[in-house]
Coordinates of all heavy atoms in Angstrom, one line a residue:
K22 N -13.5 -1.2 -25.7 CA -13.4 -0.6 -24.3 C -12.9 -1.6 -23.3 O -12.0 -1.4 -22.5 CB -14.8 0.0 -24.0 CG -14.9 0.8 -22.8 CD -16.1 1.6 -22.7 CE -17.4 1.1 -23.2 NZ -17.9 -0.2 -23.4
S23 N -13.6 -2.8 -23.2 CA -13.3 -3.8 -22.2 C -11.9 -4.4 -22.5 O -11.2 -4.7 -21.5 CB -14.3 -4.9 -22.2 OG -15.6 -4.3 -21.8
T24 N -11.5 -4.5 -23.8 CA -10.2 -5.1 -24.1 C -9.1 -4.1 -23.6 O -8.0 -4.5 -23.1 CB -10.0 -5.3 -25.6 OG1 -11.2 -6.0 -26.1 CG2 -8.8 -6.1 -25.9
L25 N -9.3 -2.8 -23.8 CA -8.3 -1.8 -23.3 C -8.2 -1.8 -21.8 O -7.1 -1.8 -21.3 CB -8.7 -0.4 -23.8 CG -7.7 0.7 -23.4 CD1 -6.4 0.6 -24.2 CD2 -8.3 2.1 -23.5
A26 N -9.4 -2.0 -21.1 CA -9.3 -2.1 -19.7 C -8.5 -3.3 -19.2 O -7.7 -3.3 -18.3 CB -10.8 -2.2 -19.1
D27 N -8.6 -4.5 -20.0 CA -7.8 -5.7 -19.7 C -6.3 -5.3 -19.8 O -5.5 -5.7 -18.9 CB -8.1 -6.8 -20.8 CG -9.5 -7.4 -20.6 OD1 -10.1 -7.1 -19.6 OD2 -9.9 -8.1 -21.5
R28 N -5.9 -4.6 -20.9 CA -4.5 -4.3 -21.0 C -4.0 -3.4 -19.9 O -2.9 -3.5 -19.5 CB -4.2 -3.6 -22.4 CG -4.5 -4.4 -23.6 CD -3.6 -5.6 -23.8 NE -4.0 -6.8 -23.1 CZ -5.0 -7.6 -23.5 NH1 -5.6 -7.3 -24.6 NH2 -5.3 -8.6 -22.7
L29 N -4.8 -2.4 -19.5 CA -4.4 -1.5 -18.4 C -4.2 -2.3 -17.1 O -3.3 -2.1 -16.3 CB -5.5 -0.4 -18.2 CG -5.6 0.6 -19.3 CD1 -6.7 1.6 -19.0 CD2 -4.4 1.3 -19.6
L30 N -5.1 -3.3 -16.9 CA -5.0 -4.2 -15.7 C -3.7 -5.0 -15.7 O -3.0 -5.1 -14.7 CB -6.2 -5.1 -15.6 CG -7.5 -4.5 -15.2 CD1 -8.6 -5.6 -15.4 CD2 -7.6 -4.0 -13.8
E31 N -3.3 -5.4 -16.9 CA -2.1 -6.2 -17.1 C -0.9 -5.3 -16.9 O 0.1 -5.7 -16.2 CB -2.1 -6.9 -18.5 CG -2.8 -8.2 -18.6 CD -2.6 -8.8 -19.9 OE1 -2.1 -8.2 -20.9 OE2 -3.0 -9.9 -20.1
A32 N -0.9 -4.2 -17.6 CA 0.3 -3.3 -17.6 C 0.6 -2.8 -16.2 O 1.8 -2.5 -15.8 CB 0.0 -2.1 -18.5
T33 N -0.4 -2.6 -15.3 CA -0.2 -2.1 -14.0 C 0.0 -3.3 -13.0 O 0.2 -3.0 -11.8 CB -1.3 -1.3 -13.5 OG1 -2.6 -2.0 -13.6 CG2 -1.5 0.0 -14.3
G34 N 0.0 -4.5 -13.5 CA 0.2 -5.7 -12.6 C -0.9 -5.9 -11.6 O -0.8 -6.6 -10.6
T35 N -2.1 -5.3 -11.9 CA -3.3 -5.5 -11.0 C -3.8 -7.0 -11.1 O -4.3 -7.5 -10.2 CB -4.4 -4.5 -11.4 OG1 -3.9 -3.2 -11.5 CG2 -5.6 -4.5 -10.4
V36 N -3.7 -7.5 -12.4 CA -4.1 -8.9 -12.6 C -2.9 -9.6 -13.2 O -2.3 -9.1 -14.1 CB -5.3 -8.9 -13.6 CG1 -5.7 -10.4 -13.9 CG2 -6.5 -8.2 -13.0
T37 N -2.6 -10.8 -12.7 CA -1.5 -11.5 -13.2 C -1.9 -12.2 -14.5 O -3.0 -12.4 -14.8 CB -1.0 -12.6 -12.2 OG1 -2.1 -13.5 -12.0 CG2 -0.6 -12.0 -10.9
K38 N -0.9 -12.6 -15.3 CA -1.1 -13.3 -16.6 C -1.9 -14.5 -16.4 O -2.8 -14.9 -17.2 CB 0.2 -13.6 -17.2 CG 0.9 -12.5 -18.0 CD 0.6 -12.6 -19.5 CE 1.4 -11.6 -20.3 NZ 0.9 -10.3 -20.4
R39 N -1.7 -15.2 -15.3 CA -2.3 -16.5 -15.0 C -3.8 -16.3 -14.8 O -4.7 -17.0 -15.2 CB -1.7 -17.1 -13.7 CG -2.2 -18.5 -13.5 CD -1.3 -19.1 -12.4 NE -1.4 -18.4 -11.1 CZ -2.3 -18.5 -10.2 NH1 -3.3 -19.3 -10.4 NH2 -2.3 -17.8 -9.1
E40 N -4.2 -15.2 -14.1 CA -5.6 -14.9 -13.8 C -6.3 -14.3 -14.9 O -7.6 -14.3 -15.0 CB -5.7 -13.8 -12.6 CG -5.2 -14.3 -11.3 CD -5.2 -13.1 -10.3 OE1 -4.5 -12.2 -10.5 OE2 -6.0 -13.2 -9.3
M41 N -5.6 -13.7 -15.9 CA -6.2 -12.9 -17.0 C -7.1 -13.7 -17.8 O -6.8 -14.9 -18.2 CB -5.1 -12.3 -17.8 CG -5.6 -11.2 -18.7 SD -6.2 -9.9 -17.6 CE -7.1 -8.9 -18.7
Q42 N -8.3 -13.1 -18.2 CA -9.1 -13.7 -19.2 C -9.7 -12.5 -20.0 O -9.7 -11.4 -19.5 CB -10.2 -14.6 -18.6 CG -11.1 -13.8 -17.5 CD -12.2 -14.6 -17.0 OE1 -12.6 -15.6 -17.6 NE2 -12.8 -14.2 -16.0

Side-chain angles (χ1 to χ4, degrees):
K22 186 164 40 25
S23 297
T24 314
L25 182 71
D27 289 351
R28 295 294 84 79
L29 295 177
L30 290 172
E31 274 184 351
T33 55
T35 310
V36 177
T37 62
K38 279 264 192 274
R39 189 170 59 82
E40 294 174 296
M41 196 61 197
Q42 56 175 344

